[in-house]
């Protein structure tokens, strides 16, 4: 059954948090470095379990299906080609490596079978069998060859060991190599077609040990049984046919193992950061956590972090607004009151006059006749809210010469006050008083010119 993420309606839920009883999407869980083997809920920080992922039955319940997998019409050519190519190679051990060429279609199909469960596709098909068209993309070939390379090198070394040194030593080397093979294949699927991906191989062994054991046993069984069958038919059949049997067996086990690895990708891929069909998570963790906390109504938790942010120099206007909003939602009015001055500084720096005006109005409701301390900020705000709230301009500036007689820009402030009184309230007498005060106090030529301009404008 499909379920949607609690906090992203419309996005399929991929995880379930037992603690909160919530279905969550990939955005709403935390996994370190794309590795979700310890995915955690962003709300409660407890581990979450994968939800709605394909079949969760253990791999060994489906062993028969993997062993039958290569026996289907679309994959038979891969078996046949390897058999035929192996048959035409002269029966000299030194030419054994050439027989590998017959495996190329099998390598391609194997990669396509696994990629079907690992890569994001626009259309999500279930239980789709690979076709020849899948091999033509070219994209998968690098991965296919990187998956084939370690198997070929190690198995050729084992065969050489069997031929020239000791059968048992060769079989053991091949067996050990095959134990690791599923992990190497999975690493290429998960991390992409680069040799560096192999470094992640141990992850796949240890994060799903039971299923990995099944995959490793299929790989070892394939190697040992193929070697045994070839050693038996060697004495019965001509060399070319023996080689054909070897080629066909190689293709059969190769594709079986690909089917097992595909099943592992399907049931554990999410732990490894794979999420076919869904967009990758690109939003930073902090933002995603905040979204979840806000959606869940845990404003107190968000406030803890936003209060920290506004204490730093890096805090932006948006950070301040959010912090103020959270304080308002949570009814923490005394904290809000304490932050009025620094918040106003930020608003003034950003020229956000409507909000600055609101903050001052709110503060004056708490404490009548409150005004920002400092003449410079009063003048800045007065300039900003001139059209918005002329009454506030008057409040901000009217007694400046008493409170701050040494303020350098007193002339400019009173010019603005006179202009406000004259133009917004029609109080030309009062305005004239302030103009005279400026004339009397300030010698600046620029101010005198502005005074004259104002008087001329009013006289007309
Ligand atoms: Zn979500
Ligand atoms: Zn939770």
């Amino acid at each position: 059954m499909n379920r949607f993420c609690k906090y992203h309606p419309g996005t399929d839920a991929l995880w379930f948090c037992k603690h909160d009883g919530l279905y969550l999407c990939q955005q709403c869980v935390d996994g370190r470095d794309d590795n979700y083997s310890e995915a955690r809920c962003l709300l409660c920080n407890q581990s979450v379990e994968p939800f709605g992922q394909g079949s969760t039955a253990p791999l060994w319940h489906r062993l028969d299906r993997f062993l039958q997998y290569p026996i289907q019409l679309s994959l038979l050519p891969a078996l046949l080609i390897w058999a035929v190519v192996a048959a035409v190679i002269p029966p000299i051990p030194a030419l054994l490596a050439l027989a590998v060429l017959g495996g190329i279609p099998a390598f391609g199909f194997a990669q396509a079978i696994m990629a079907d469960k690992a890569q994001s596709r626009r259309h999500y098909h279930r239980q789709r069998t690979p076709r020849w068209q899948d091999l033509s993309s070219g994209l998968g070939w690098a991965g296919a060859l990187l998956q084939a390379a370690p198997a070929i090198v190690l198995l050729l070394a084992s065969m050489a060991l069997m031929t020239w040194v000791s059968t048992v030593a060769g079989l053991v080397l091949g067996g050990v190599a095959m134990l690791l093979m599923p992990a190497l294949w999975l690493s290429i699927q998960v991390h992409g077609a680069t040799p560096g991906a192999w470094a992640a191989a141990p992850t796949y062994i240890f994060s799903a040990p039971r299923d990995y054991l099944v995959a490793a046993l299929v790989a070892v069984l394939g190697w040992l049984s193929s070697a045994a069958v070839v050693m038996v038919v060697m004495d019965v059949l001509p060399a070319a046919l023996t080689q054909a049997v070897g080629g066909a067996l190689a293709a059969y086990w190769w594709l079986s193992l690909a089917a097992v690895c595909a099943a592992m990708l399907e049931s554990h891929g999410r732990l490894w950061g794979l999420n076919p069909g869904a967009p990758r998570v690109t939003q930073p963790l902090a933002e995603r956590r905040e979204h979840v906390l806000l959606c869940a109504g845990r404003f107190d938790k968000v406030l803890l972090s936003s209060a920290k942010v506004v204490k730093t120099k890096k805090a932006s206007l948006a950070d301040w607004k959010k912090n103020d909003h959270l304080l308002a939602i949570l009814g923490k009015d005394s904290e809000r009151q304490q932050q009025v001055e620094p918040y106003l500084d930020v608003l003034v720096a950003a020229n956000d006059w409507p909000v600055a005006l609101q903050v001052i109005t709110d503060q004056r409701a708490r404490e009548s006749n409150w005004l920002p301390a400092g003449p410079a900020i009063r003048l800045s705000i007065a300039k900003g809210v001139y059209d918005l709230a002329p009454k506030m301009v008057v409040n901000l500036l009217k007694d400046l010469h008493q409170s701050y007689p040494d303020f350098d820009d007193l002339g400019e402030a009173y010019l603005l006050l006179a202009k406000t009184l004259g133009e917004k309230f029609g109080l030309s007498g009062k305005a004239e008083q302030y103009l005279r005060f400026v004339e009397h106090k300030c010698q600046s030529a620029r101010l005198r010119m502005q005074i004259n301009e104002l008087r001329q404008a009013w006289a007309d």
Side-chain angles (χ1 to χ4, degrees), residues 5 7-8 25 27-28:
C5 172
Y7 302 124
H8 293 92
C25 73
Q27 304 259 9
C28 296

Side-chain angles (χ1 to χ4, degrees), residues 336-384:
R336 245 185 131 196
Q337 206 172 333
Q338 282 164 19
Q339 282 184 349
V340 163
E341 301 263 1
Y343 186 27
L344 265 182
D345 286 342
V346 175
L347 289 166
V348 168
N351 295 330
D352 193 337
W353 306 117
V355 178
L357 190 63
Q358 187 59 50
V359 169
I360 297 173
T361 312
D362 289 351
Q363 180 66 4
R364 282 169 75 87
R366 294 182 192 109
E367 201 183 309
S368 57
N369 297 325
W370 179 91
L371 286 173
I377 188 150
R378 285 200 203 171
L379 178 56
S380 305
I381 297 170
K383 283 184 199 164

